[in-house]
Amino acid sequence: MSWAEPRLRILGVDPGSRKTGFGFIDWSGRQSRWVNSGCLKLPEKMELPDRLVFIAEKLEALVQAEQPDCAVIEQMFVAKHARAGVVLGHVRGAILLTLARLKLPLHEYPPLQVKQTVVGVGSADKQQVGHMVRVLLNLKQVPQEDEADALAVAITHAHNTSSLALQVVPK
Amino acid sequence: MSWAEPRLRILGVDPGSRKTGFGFIDWSGRQSRWVNSGCLKLPEKMELPDRLVFIAEKLEALVQAEQPDCAVIEQMFVAKHARAGVVLGHVRGAILLTLARLKLPLHEYPPLQVKQTVVGVGSADKQQVGHMVRVLLNLKQVPQEDEADALAVAITHAHNTSSLALQVVPK
C-alpha cells in the first residue's frame, strides 16, 4: 500500500475522569496505519476546572500537530458509579467543546459497536481489544488501556466510513 | 450607597441541560446591585457539541461585556435522573472550562447553602428563592427560574465573601 494515496486521518479519544486516551490513525480505505497515540494523565491535585483546561490545551496542541480530518469518541451511557459519571460528563463535555471549536467533524459510536468492529464480538474484554488494536495497527506491543480504547474507536470509524471517497482529502 | 465605592462584580451561573441562567451583580461589601441577568436557551435541535459551543460563545461575550471579577456556580450533586445528569455534566464541564480559560476565579457553593443564604432556610423552594432574589436586588418582577438561581448563587458568594477588602478592585 502506498501512503501517497489519499487518506483520512482520524483522531480517536477515550475520555476518563483520571486519564484520557488519544490515538491518531490514517485510513487509506483499505488499511489503517498508526500515527500517534498516548494517554493524558490528569494531575490529581488539580481542581476540576483546571483539569479541564489542562485537557483542552493538550488536545488542541495534538490536533495542531497531527491535523486530523475528524474526531471520534465513544458514546457515553449512564455510568455504574453515579459520582464517576458526573466527573466523566464534565471531562467529556470539555473535550466535545474543544473538538467542536476546532471545527473537527465529530462522530460517536456505542461501545458495543467498537468491540464488534475491532474484536468481532460485543462482549469482548479490554485485553482482547488491546490485542486486536496491536494486530490491526501492526504495533510492537499492546498499548495501555485508554490508549488502546482511543485507537479502537478510531479504527471503528475507519471501518464504518462507507463514503470514504467523499471524505478523503489528498495530502 | 454610592457606587463610586469599590465593588466586586460577581457572575453567577446556573447550568442546565436545556437552559442556563446567568446573573451579574455588584457587591459593595454592604449591598448587592443587579447588573444584568437572563437565560441562555439551548437550541433543542442542535447536537450536543454544537450546544456546548453555543453556550461557550454566549458566556464569553457576556464576560467580555460585563467584566466580572469572579464567577460562581452551584456544586453539582448526582442527579435524580441519571440521563439528565450526564447531559448536565457535559454542559457544566463546558462552562467550567470556558470560565477557567477566561481566567475568572471560580467559586462553588452547595445548593443548601445558596437557599440558606438567600431565603434563610435550606428547604426553601424555587418560588421562595425567586421572591427573595427580587427583594434583595430590588427588581420590579421575579426573574425566571434559572435566572433567579444564577442571581441567588451570586448573592450567596457576595454574602460569604469575608475578605472583601482584599478582593475588591476599584473601578
Side-chain angles (χ1 to χ4, degrees), chain B residues 15-63:
Chain B
S17 52
R18 292 188 204 166
K19 285 190 284 182
T20 287
F22 66 90
F24 293 88
I25 63 169
D26 279 349
W27 171 244
S28 72
R30 287 179 293 153
Q31 202 172 325
S32 299
R33 190 178 65 157
W34 178 89
V35 175
N36 187 6
S37 62
C39 218
L40 306 174
K41 203 178 167 199
L42 303 188
E44 276 179 37
K45 289 190 179 167
M46 240 182 218
E47 296 284 336
L48 182 56
D50 295 327
R51 269 191 276 164
L52 301 179
V53 172
F54 174 89
I55 235 183
E57 287 177 352
K58 294 283 183 192
L59 262 186
E60 282 166 358
L62 284 165
V63 168

mmCIF file of all heavy atoms in Angstrom, chain B residues 15-63:
data_model
loop_
_atom_site.group_PDB
_atom_site.id
_atom_site.type_symbol
_atom_site.label_atom_id
_atom_site.label_comp_id
_atom_site.label_asym_id
_atom_site.label_seq_id
_atom_site.Cartn_x
_atom_site.Cartn_y
_atom_site.Cartn_z
ATOM 1 N N PRO B 15 -26.174 26.217 35.427
ATOM 2 C CA PRO B 15 -26.170 25.388 34.215
ATOM 3 C C PRO B 15 -27.359 24.433 34.186
ATOM 4 O O PRO B 15 -27.745 23.894 35.225
ATOM 5 C CB PRO B 15 -24.882 24.569 34.335
ATOM 6 C CG PRO B 15 -24.163 25.075 35.536
ATOM 7 C CD PRO B 15 -25.167 25.762 36.393
ATOM 8 N N GLY B 16 -27.919 24.247 33.026
ATOM 9 C CA GLY B 16 -28.983 23.271 32.859
ATOM 10 C C GLY B 16 -28.839 22.591 31.511
ATOM 11 O O GLY B 16 -28.192 23.123 30.609
ATOM 12 N N SER B 17 -29.449 21.414 31.379
ATOM 13 C CA SER B 17 -29.290 20.689 30.114
ATOM 14 C C SER B 17 -30.089 21.354 28.994
ATOM 15 O O SER B 17 -29.786 21.188 27.823
ATOM 16 C CB SER B 17 -29.711 19.231 30.290
ATOM 17 O OG SER B 17 -30.988 19.160 30.865
ATOM 18 N N ARG B 18 -31.097 22.159 29.346
ATOM 19 C CA ARG B 18 -31.875 22.870 28.328
ATOM 20 C C ARG B 18 -31.710 24.377 28.383
ATOM 21 O O ARG B 18 -31.719 25.054 27.368
ATOM 22 C CB ARG B 18 -33.357 22.560 28.503
ATOM 23 C CG ARG B 18 -33.679 21.117 28.185
ATOM 24 C CD ARG B 18 -35.159 20.922 28.188
ATOM 25 N NE ARG B 18 -35.492 19.543 28.457
ATOM 26 C CZ ARG B 18 -36.702 19.142 28.788
ATOM 27 N NH1 ARG B 18 -37.689 20.022 28.897
ATOM 28 N NH2 ARG B 18 -36.946 17.878 29.009
ATOM 29 N N LYS B 19 -31.619 24.904 29.605
ATOM 30 C CA LYS B 19 -31.465 26.351 29.771
ATOM 31 C C LYS B 19 -30.381 26.621 30.797
ATOM 32 O O LYS B 19 -30.280 25.906 31.787
ATOM 33 C CB LYS B 19 -32.780 26.967 30.274
ATOM 34 C CG LYS B 19 -33.848 27.061 29.212
ATOM 35 C CD LYS B 19 -35.019 27.876 29.691
ATOM 36 C CE LYS B 19 -35.885 27.089 30.660
ATOM 37 N NZ LYS B 19 -37.069 27.846 31.098
ATOM 38 N N THR B 20 -29.592 27.635 30.562
ATOM 39 C CA THR B 20 -28.573 28.036 31.527
ATOM 40 C C THR B 20 -28.828 29.480 31.934
ATOM 41 O O THR B 20 -28.881 30.371 31.080
ATOM 42 C CB THR B 20 -27.162 27.861 30.920
ATOM 43 O OG1 THR B 20 -26.865 26.462 30.858
ATOM 44 C CG2 THR B 20 -26.101 28.546 31.768
ATOM 45 N N GLY B 21 -29.005 29.680 33.232
ATOM 46 C CA GLY B 21 -29.231 31.031 33.730
ATOM 47 C C GLY B 21 -27.910 31.727 34.032
ATOM 48 O O GLY B 21 -26.928 31.077 34.380
ATOM 49 N N PHE B 22 -27.899 33.052 33.869
ATOM 50 C CA PHE B 22 -26.719 33.824 34.278
ATOM 51 C C PHE B 22 -27.199 35.090 34.992
ATOM 52 O O PHE B 22 -28.311 35.575 34.741
ATOM 53 C CB PHE B 22 -25.840 34.199 33.073
ATOM 54 C CG PHE B 22 -26.498 35.147 32.119
ATOM 55 C CD1 PHE B 22 -26.369 36.530 32.274
ATOM 56 C CD2 PHE B 22 -27.273 34.680 31.063
ATOM 57 C CE1 PHE B 22 -26.994 37.419 31.389
ATOM 58 C CE2 PHE B 22 -27.909 35.555 30.183
ATOM 59 C CZ PHE B 22 -27.766 36.928 30.355
ATOM 60 N N GLY B 23 -26.371 35.594 35.892
ATOM 61 C CA GLY B 23 -26.716 36.826 36.591
ATOM 62 C C GLY B 23 -25.463 37.540 37.059
ATOM 63 O O GLY B 23 -24.589 36.930 37.679
ATOM 64 N N PHE B 24 -25.360 38.820 36.737
ATOM 65 C CA PHE B 24 -24.244 39.642 37.213
ATOM 66 C C PHE B 24 -24.769 40.570 38.297
ATOM 67 O O PHE B 24 -25.805 41.230 38.104
ATOM 68 C CB PHE B 24 -23.676 40.510 36.087
ATOM 69 C CG PHE B 24 -23.008 39.739 34.987
ATOM 70 C CD1 PHE B 24 -23.753 39.271 33.900
ATOM 71 C CD2 PHE B 24 -21.653 39.488 35.017
ATOM 72 C CE1 PHE B 24 -23.139 38.573 32.871
ATOM 73 C CE2 PHE B 24 -21.031 38.788 33.985
ATOM 74 C CZ PHE B 24 -21.786 38.325 32.914
ATOM 75 N N ILE B 25 -24.069 40.631 39.420
ATOM 76 C CA ILE B 25 -24.408 41.626 40.445
ATOM 77 C C ILE B 25 -23.139 42.351 40.884
ATOM 78 O O ILE B 25 -22.022 41.819 40.735
ATOM 79 C CB ILE B 25 -25.077 41.001 41.698
ATOM 80 C CG1 ILE B 25 -24.113 40.019 42.404
ATOM 81 C CG2 ILE B 25 -26.378 40.298 41.338
ATOM 82 C CD1 ILE B 25 -24.619 39.573 43.784
ATOM 83 N N ASP B 26 -23.315 43.557 41.406
ATOM 84 C CA ASP B 26 -22.205 44.279 42.028
ATOM 85 C C ASP B 26 -22.413 44.232 43.531
ATOM 86 O O ASP B 26 -23.529 44.439 44.023
ATOM 87 C CB ASP B 26 -22.186 45.745 41.560
ATOM 88 C CG ASP B 26 -21.522 45.884 40.198
ATOM 89 O OD1 ASP B 26 -20.914 44.907 39.732
ATOM 90 O OD2 ASP B 26 -21.627 46.975 39.611
ATOM 91 N N TRP B 27 -21.351 43.994 44.254
ATOM 92 C CA TRP B 27 -21.404 43.889 45.710
ATOM 93 C C TRP B 27 -20.449 44.921 46.293
ATOM 94 O O TRP B 27 -19.264 44.947 45.972
ATOM 95 C CB TRP B 27 -21.012 42.478 46.120
ATOM 96 C CG TRP B 27 -20.813 42.230 47.594
ATOM 97 C CD1 TRP B 27 -19.641 41.873 48.210
ATOM 98 C CD2 TRP B 27 -21.800 42.275 48.632
ATOM 99 N NE1 TRP B 27 -19.848 41.694 49.541
ATOM 100 C CE2 TRP B 27 -21.163 41.938 49.842
ATOM 101 C CE3 TRP B 27 -23.168 42.568 48.657
ATOM 102 C CZ2 TRP B 27 -21.831 41.884 51.060
ATOM 103 C CZ3 TRP B 27 -23.841 42.518 49.866
ATOM 104 C CH2 TRP B 27 -23.176 42.184 51.055
ATOM 105 N N SER B 28 -20.982 45.789 47.131
ATOM 106 C CA SER B 28 -20.163 46.882 47.676
ATOM 107 C C SER B 28 -19.526 46.507 49.005
ATOM 108 O O SER B 28 -18.737 47.265 49.552
ATOM 109 C CB SER B 28 -21.036 48.119 47.889
ATOM 110 O OG SER B 28 -21.895 47.879 48.993
ATOM 111 N N GLY B 29 -19.894 45.353 49.514
ATOM 112 C CA GLY B 29 -19.454 44.974 50.855
ATOM 113 C C GLY B 29 -20.614 45.141 51.827
ATOM 114 O O GLY B 29 -20.593 44.624 52.939
ATOM 115 N N ARG B 30 -21.638 45.892 51.386
ATOM 116 C CA ARG B 30 -22.817 46.099 52.240
ATOM 117 C C ARG B 30 -24.102 45.750 51.499
ATOM 118 O O ARG B 30 -25.095 45.371 52.080
ATOM 119 C CB ARG B 30 -22.890 47.558 52.686
ATOM 120 C CG ARG B 30 -21.833 47.914 53.726
ATOM 121 C CD ARG B 30 -21.929 49.373 54.107
ATOM 122 N NE ARG B 30 -21.576 50.234 52.995
ATOM 123 C CZ ARG B 30 -22.019 51.474 52.830
ATOM 124 N NH1 ARG B 30 -22.883 51.979 53.691
ATOM 125 N NH2 ARG B 30 -21.637 52.210 51.796
ATOM 126 N N GLN B 31 -24.094 45.929 50.212
ATOM 127 C CA GLN B 31 -25.326 45.777 49.452
ATOM 128 C C GLN B 31 -25.029 45.225 48.051
ATOM 129 O O GLN B 31 -23.953 45.453 47.499
ATOM 130 C CB GLN B 31 -25.998 47.145 49.321
ATOM 131 C CG GLN B 31 -27.485 47.051 49.027
ATOM 132 C CD GLN B 31 -28.147 48.415 49.090
ATOM 133 O OE1 GLN B 31 -27.771 49.252 49.902
ATOM 134 N NE2 GLN B 31 -29.125 48.634 48.223
ATOM 135 N N SER B 32 -26.026 44.512 47.507
ATOM 136 C CA SER B 32 -25.902 43.987 46.142
ATOM 137 C C SER B 32 -26.714 44.843 45.185
ATOM 138 O O SER B 32 -27.781 45.339 45.544
ATOM 139 C CB SER B 32 -26.457 42.562 46.058
ATOM 140 O OG SER B 32 -25.759 41.703 46.897
ATOM 141 N N ARG B 33 -26.235 45.003 43.987
ATOM 142 C CA ARG B 33 -26.987 45.713 42.964
ATOM 143 C C ARG B 33 -27.053 44.851 41.709
ATOM 144 O O ARG B 33 -26.039 44.301 41.271
ATOM 145 C CB ARG B 33 -26.306 47.045 42.646
ATOM 146 C CG ARG B 33 -27.173 47.942 41.762
ATOM 147 C CD ARG B 33 -26.487 49.271 41.516
ATOM 148 N NE ARG B 33 -25.256 49.090 40.744
ATOM 149 C CZ ARG B 33 -24.703 50.069 40.023
ATOM 150 N NH1 ARG B 33 -25.225 51.282 40.015
ATOM 151 N NH2 ARG B 33 -23.597 49.840 39.344
ATOM 152 N N TRP B 34 -28.229 44.741 41.134
ATOM 153 C CA TRP B 34 -28.411 43.973 39.905
ATOM 154 C C TRP B 34 -27.709 44.681 38.749
ATOM 155 O O TRP B 34 -27.815 45.902 38.614
ATOM 156 C CB TRP B 34 -29.911 43.844 39.605
ATOM 157 C CG TRP B 34 -30.218 43.099 38.331
ATOM 158 C CD1 TRP B 34 -30.404 41.764 38.188
ATOM 159 C CD2 TRP B 34 -30.393 43.659 37.025
ATOM 160 N NE1 TRP B 34 -30.673 41.443 36.886
ATOM 161 C CE2 TRP B 34 -30.667 42.592 36.154
ATOM 162 C CE3 TRP B 34 -30.314 44.961 36.506
ATOM 163 C CZ2 TRP B 34 -30.884 42.776 34.776
ATOM 164 C CZ3 TRP B 34 -30.520 45.146 35.142
ATOM 165 C CH2 TRP B 34 -30.806 44.058 34.305
ATOM 166 N N VAL B 35 -27.032 43.927 37.925
ATOM 167 C CA VAL B 35 -26.342 44.496 36.758
ATOM 168 C C VAL B 35 -26.945 43.964 35.460
ATOM 169 O O VAL B 35 -27.316 44.725 34.574
ATOM 170 C CB VAL B 35 -24.826 44.183 36.805
ATOM 171 C CG1 VAL B 35 -24.127 44.656 35.540
ATOM 172 C CG2 VAL B 35 -24.184 44.831 38.039
ATOM 173 N N ASN B 36 -27.076 42.653 35.382
ATOM 174 C CA ASN B 36 -27.564 42.018 34.156
ATOM 175 C C ASN B 36 -27.903 40.572 34.495
ATOM 176 O O ASN B 36 -27.238 39.957 35.314
ATOM 177 C CB ASN B 36 -26.469 42.080 33.073
ATOM 178 C CG ASN B 36 -26.941 41.591 31.704
ATOM 179 O OD1 ASN B 36 -28.114 41.304 31.512
ATOM 180 N ND2 ASN B 36 -26.016 41.502 30.769
ATOM 181 N N SER B 37 -28.944 40.047 33.879
ATOM 182 C CA SER B 37 -29.242 38.628 34.081
ATOM 183 C C SER B 37 -30.131 38.135 32.952
ATOM 184 O O SER B 37 -30.724 38.934 32.223
ATOM 185 C CB SER B 37 -29.928 38.397 35.443
ATOM 186 O OG SER B 37 -31.165 39.071 35.503
ATOM 187 N N GLY B 38 -30.195 36.844 32.814
ATOM 188 C CA GLY B 38 -31.028 36.282 31.754
ATOM 189 C C GLY B 38 -30.856 34.786 31.661
ATOM 190 O O GLY B 38 -30.301 34.144 32.556
ATOM 191 N N CYS B 39 -31.316 34.256 30.559
ATOM 192 C CA CYS B 39 -31.370 32.817 30.386
ATOM 193 C C CYS B 39 -30.884 32.474 28.978
ATOM 194 O O CYS B 39 -31.357 33.063 28.010
ATOM 195 C CB CYS B 39 -32.836 32.415 30.552
ATOM 196 S SG CYS B 39 -33.026 30.895 31.406
ATOM 197 N N LEU B 40 -29.928 31.584 28.883
ATOM 198 C CA LEU B 40 -29.487 31.112 27.569
ATOM 199 C C LEU B 40 -30.254 29.840 27.259
ATOM 200 O O LEU B 40 -30.043 28.805 27.914
ATOM 201 C CB LEU B 40 -27.985 30.825 27.564
ATOM 202 C CG LEU B 40 -27.076 31.960 28.024
ATOM 203 C CD1 LEU B 40 -25.636 31.473 28.112
ATOM 204 C CD2 LEU B 40 -27.194 33.144 27.075
ATOM 205 N N LYS B 41 -31.131 29.911 26.306
ATOM 206 C CA LYS B 41 -31.911 28.722 25.942
ATOM 207 C C LYS B 41 -31.143 27.969 24.866
ATOM 208 O O LYS B 41 -30.825 28.525 23.813
ATOM 209 C CB LYS B 41 -33.289 29.147 25.434
ATOM 210 C CG LYS B 41 -34.291 28.036 25.564
ATOM 211 C CD LYS B 41 -35.669 28.428 25.122
ATOM 212 C CE LYS B 41 -36.507 27.162 24.987
ATOM 213 N NZ LYS B 41 -37.688 27.354 24.176
ATOM 214 N N LEU B 42 -30.842 26.705 25.140
ATOM 215 C CA LEU B 42 -30.061 25.934 24.181
ATOM 216 C C LEU B 42 -30.958 25.456 23.046
ATOM 217 O O LEU B 42 -32.010 24.880 23.307
ATOM 218 C CB LEU B 42 -29.428 24.729 24.876
ATOM 219 C CG LEU B 42 -28.535 25.077 26.069
ATOM 220 C CD1 LEU B 42 -27.804 23.844 26.548
ATOM 221 C CD2 LEU B 42 -27.537 26.148 25.693
ATOM 222 N N PRO B 43 -30.549 25.710 21.810
ATOM 223 C CA PRO B 43 -31.353 25.246 20.674
ATOM 224 C C PRO B 43 -31.530 23.728 20.744
ATOM 225 O O PRO B 43 -30.554 22.984 20.767
ATOM 226 C CB PRO B 43 -30.495 25.640 19.467
ATOM 227 C CG PRO B 43 -29.558 26.690 19.967
ATOM 228 C CD PRO B 43 -29.317 26.378 21.399
ATOM 229 N N GLU B 44 -32.782 23.291 20.809
ATOM 230 C CA GLU B 44 -33.057 21.875 21.066
ATOM 231 C C GLU B 44 -32.587 20.942 19.959
ATOM 232 O O GLU B 44 -32.206 19.813 20.204
ATOM 233 C CB GLU B 44 -34.562 21.669 21.278
ATOM 234 C CG GLU B 44 -34.967 21.965 22.709
ATOM 235 C CD GLU B 44 -36.453 21.785 22.921
ATOM 236 O OE1 GLU B 44 -37.022 20.863 22.316
ATOM 237 O OE2 GLU B 44 -37.038 22.564 23.684
ATOM 238 N N LYS B 45 -32.660 21.441 18.746
ATOM 239 C CA LYS B 45 -32.324 20.549 17.624
ATOM 240 C C LYS B 45 -30.819 20.457 17.388
ATOM 241 O O LYS B 45 -30.368 19.693 16.552
ATOM 242 C CB LYS B 45 -33.027 21.023 16.354
ATOM 243 C CG LYS B 45 -34.518 20.774 16.434
ATOM 244 C CD LYS B 45 -35.220 20.994 15.124
ATOM 245 C CE LYS B 45 -36.714 20.694 15.286
ATOM 246 N NZ LYS B 45 -37.495 21.168 14.152
ATOM 247 N N MET B 46 -30.062 21.266 18.109
ATOM 248 C CA MET B 46 -28.617 21.245 17.944
ATOM 249 C C MET B 46 -28.030 19.990 18.576
ATOM 250 O O MET B 46 -28.462 19.555 19.638
ATOM 251 C CB MET B 46 -28.035 22.454 18.679
ATOM 252 C CG MET B 46 -27.267 23.398 17.812
ATOM 253 S SD MET B 46 -26.605 24.726 18.842
ATOM 254 C CE MET B 46 -26.811 26.087 17.714
ATOM 255 N N GLU B 47 -27.009 19.431 17.939
ATOM 256 C CA GLU B 47 -26.269 18.329 18.546
ATOM 257 C C GLU B 47 -25.541 18.846 19.790
ATOM 258 O O GLU B 47 -25.199 20.032 19.858
ATOM 259 C CB GLU B 47 -25.232 17.781 17.554
ATOM 260 C CG GLU B 47 -25.820 17.161 16.311
ATOM 261 C CD GLU B 47 -26.402 15.778 16.576
ATOM 262 O OE1 GLU B 47 -25.960 15.134 17.543
ATOM 263 O OE2 GLU B 47 -27.287 15.349 15.824
ATOM 264 N N LEU B 48 -25.256 17.938 20.718
ATOM 265 C CA LEU B 48 -24.643 18.348 21.981
ATOM 266 C C LEU B 48 -23.343 19.162 21.798
ATOM 267 O O LEU B 48 -23.210 20.220 22.418
ATOM 268 C CB LEU B 48 -24.421 17.120 22.871
ATOM 269 C CG LEU B 48 -23.833 17.387 24.257
ATOM 270 C CD1 LEU B 48 -24.677 18.374 25.054
ATOM 271 C CD2 LEU B 48 -23.671 16.098 25.046
ATOM 272 N N PRO B 49 -22.390 18.714 20.968
ATOM 273 C CA PRO B 49 -21.154 19.516 20.844
ATOM 274 C C PRO B 49 -21.451 20.949 20.391
ATOM 275 O O PRO B 49 -20.845 21.894 20.887
ATOM 276 C CB PRO B 49 -20.340 18.756 19.789
ATOM 277 C CG PRO B 49 -20.866 17.364 19.829
ATOM 278 C CD PRO B 49 -22.324 17.484 20.165
ATOM 279 N N ASP B 50 -22.394 21.115 19.466
ATOM 280 C CA ASP B 50 -22.737 22.453 18.992
ATOM 281 C C ASP B 50 -23.428 23.267 20.086
ATOM 282 O O ASP B 50 -23.250 24.484 20.170
ATOM 283 C CB ASP B 50 -23.632 22.367 17.750
ATOM 284 C CG ASP B 50 -22.891 21.738 16.582
ATOM 285 O OD1 ASP B 50 -21.669 21.940 16.479
ATOM 286 O OD2 ASP B 50 -23.524 21.027 15.786
ATOM 287 N N ARG B 51 -24.213 22.586 20.906
ATOM 288 C CA ARG B 51 -24.850 23.279 22.027
ATOM 289 C C ARG B 51 -23.787 23.789 23.006
ATOM 290 O O ARG B 51 -23.901 24.873 23.565
ATOM 291 C CB ARG B 51 -25.809 22.329 22.768
ATOM 292 C CG ARG B 51 -27.221 22.403 22.223
ATOM 293 C CD ARG B 51 -28.177 21.669 23.130
ATOM 294 N NE ARG B 51 -28.179 20.239 22.825
ATOM 295 C CZ ARG B 51 -28.677 19.296 23.620
ATOM 296 N NH1 ARG B 51 -29.191 19.626 24.791
ATOM 297 N NH2 ARG B 51 -28.670 18.040 23.249
ATOM 298 N N LEU B 52 -22.737 22.979 23.202
ATOM 299 C CA LEU B 52 -21.667 23.386 24.117
ATOM 300 C C LEU B 52 -20.919 24.591 23.555
ATOM 301 O O LEU B 52 -20.560 25.515 24.289
ATOM 302 C CB LEU B 52 -20.710 22.215 24.369
ATOM 303 C CG LEU B 52 -21.353 20.951 24.962
ATOM 304 C CD1 LEU B 52 -20.312 19.851 25.139
ATOM 305 C CD2 LEU B 52 -22.043 21.234 26.286
ATOM 306 N N VAL B 53 -20.706 24.591 22.239
ATOM 307 C CA VAL B 53 -20.050 25.748 21.602
ATOM 308 C C VAL B 53 -20.936 26.986 21.740
ATOM 309 O O VAL B 53 -20.461 28.075 22.076
ATOM 310 C CB VAL B 53 -19.759 25.469 20.109
ATOM 311 C CG1 VAL B 53 -19.258 26.721 19.402
ATOM 312 C CG2 VAL B 53 -18.733 24.344 19.973
ATOM 313 N N PHE B 54 -22.241 26.817 21.515
ATOM 314 C CA PHE B 54 -23.209 27.903 21.634
ATOM 315 C C PHE B 54 -23.103 28.552 23.012
ATOM 316 O O PHE B 54 -22.976 29.775 23.153
ATOM 317 C CB PHE B 54 -24.619 27.324 21.414
ATOM 318 C CG PHE B 54 -25.757 28.288 21.639
ATOM 319 C CD1 PHE B 54 -26.229 29.082 20.595
ATOM 320 C CD2 PHE B 54 -26.365 28.402 22.880
ATOM 321 C CE1 PHE B 54 -27.281 29.970 20.803
ATOM 322 C CE2 PHE B 54 -27.413 29.284 23.096
ATOM 323 C CZ PHE B 54 -27.876 30.069 22.057
ATOM 324 N N ILE B 55 -23.118 27.720 24.046
ATOM 325 C CA ILE B 55 -23.081 28.244 25.413
ATOM 326 C C ILE B 55 -21.735 28.898 25.717
ATOM 327 O O ILE B 55 -21.674 29.956 26.355
ATOM 328 C CB ILE B 55 -23.424 27.111 26.401
ATOM 329 C CG1 ILE B 55 -24.578 27.577 27.258
ATOM 330 C CG2 ILE B 55 -22.274 26.715 27.272
ATOM 331 C CD1 ILE B 55 -24.958 26.607 28.306
ATOM 332 N N ALA B 56 -20.654 28.300 25.248
ATOM 333 C CA ALA B 56 -19.321 28.865 25.496
ATOM 334 C C ALA B 56 -19.208 30.246 24.854
ATOM 335 O O ALA B 56 -18.719 31.197 25.470
ATOM 336 C CB ALA B 56 -18.241 27.928 24.946
ATOM 337 N N GLU B 57 -19.701 30.369 23.639
ATOM 338 C CA GLU B 57 -19.591 31.654 22.927
ATOM 339 C C GLU B 57 -20.459 32.730 23.585
ATOM 340 O O GLU B 57 -20.047 33.881 23.697
ATOM 341 C CB GLU B 57 -19.967 31.472 21.450
ATOM 342 C CG GLU B 57 -18.878 30.729 20.695
ATOM 343 C CD GLU B 57 -19.227 30.450 19.234
ATOM 344 O OE1 GLU B 57 -20.387 30.704 18.831
ATOM 345 O OE2 GLU B 57 -18.331 29.970 18.508
ATOM 346 N N LYS B 58 -21.670 32.356 24.003
ATOM 347 C CA LYS B 58 -22.552 33.322 24.671
ATOM 348 C C LYS B 58 -21.922 33.789 25.991
ATOM 349 O O LYS B 58 -21.937 34.976 26.314
ATOM 350 C CB LYS B 58 -23.921 32.684 24.964
ATOM 351 C CG LYS B 58 -24.724 32.337 23.728
ATOM 352 C CD LYS B 58 -25.370 33.576 23.125
ATOM 353 C CE LYS B 58 -26.234 33.194 21.933
ATOM 354 N NZ LYS B 58 -26.646 34.358 21.143
ATOM 355 N N LEU B 59 -21.383 32.824 26.752
ATOM 356 C CA LEU B 59 -20.764 33.169 28.043
ATOM 357 C C LEU B 59 -19.560 34.083 27.842
ATOM 358 O O LEU B 59 -19.378 35.062 28.566
ATOM 359 C CB LEU B 59 -20.307 31.906 28.762
ATOM 360 C CG LEU B 59 -21.214 31.329 29.837
ATOM 361 C CD1 LEU B 59 -20.504 30.171 30.530
ATOM 362 C CD2 LEU B 59 -21.607 32.373 30.880
ATOM 363 N N GLU B 60 -18.742 33.761 26.855
ATOM 364 C CA GLU B 60 -17.563 34.587 26.584
ATOM 365 C C GLU B 60 -17.966 36.020 26.249
ATOM 366 O O GLU B 60 -17.361 36.976 26.724
ATOM 367 C CB GLU B 60 -16.750 33.985 25.429
ATOM 368 C CG GLU B 60 -15.917 32.793 25.866
ATOM 369 C CD GLU B 60 -15.376 31.979 24.696
ATOM 370 O OE1 GLU B 60 -15.686 32.338 23.531
ATOM 371 O OE2 GLU B 60 -14.671 30.998 24.939
ATOM 372 N N ALA B 61 -19.015 36.166 25.432
ATOM 373 C CA ALA B 61 -19.480 37.505 25.047
ATOM 374 C C ALA B 61 -19.996 38.265 26.273
ATOM 375 O O ALA B 61 -19.727 39.463 26.433
ATOM 376 C CB ALA B 61 -20.572 37.388 23.982
ATOM 377 N N LEU B 62 -20.713 37.566 27.153
ATOM 378 C CA LEU B 62 -21.232 38.210 28.370
ATOM 379 C C LEU B 62 -20.092 38.650 29.281
ATOM 380 O O LEU B 62 -20.125 39.751 29.848
ATOM 381 C CB LEU B 62 -22.159 37.242 29.121
ATOM 382 C CG LEU B 62 -23.557 37.066 28.521
ATOM 383 C CD1 LEU B 62 -24.242 35.837 29.110
ATOM 384 C CD2 LEU B 62 -24.411 38.314 28.776
ATOM 385 N N VAL B 63 -19.092 37.786 29.433
ATOM 386 C CA VAL B 63 -17.951 38.126 30.299
ATOM 387 C C VAL B 63 -17.177 39.305 29.698
ATOM 388 O O VAL B 63 -16.768 40.219 30.414
ATOM 389 C CB VAL B 63 -17.047 36.891 30.508
ATOM 390 C CG1 VAL B 63 -15.720 37.285 31.152
ATOM 391 C CG2 VAL B 63 -17.759 35.857 31.381
#
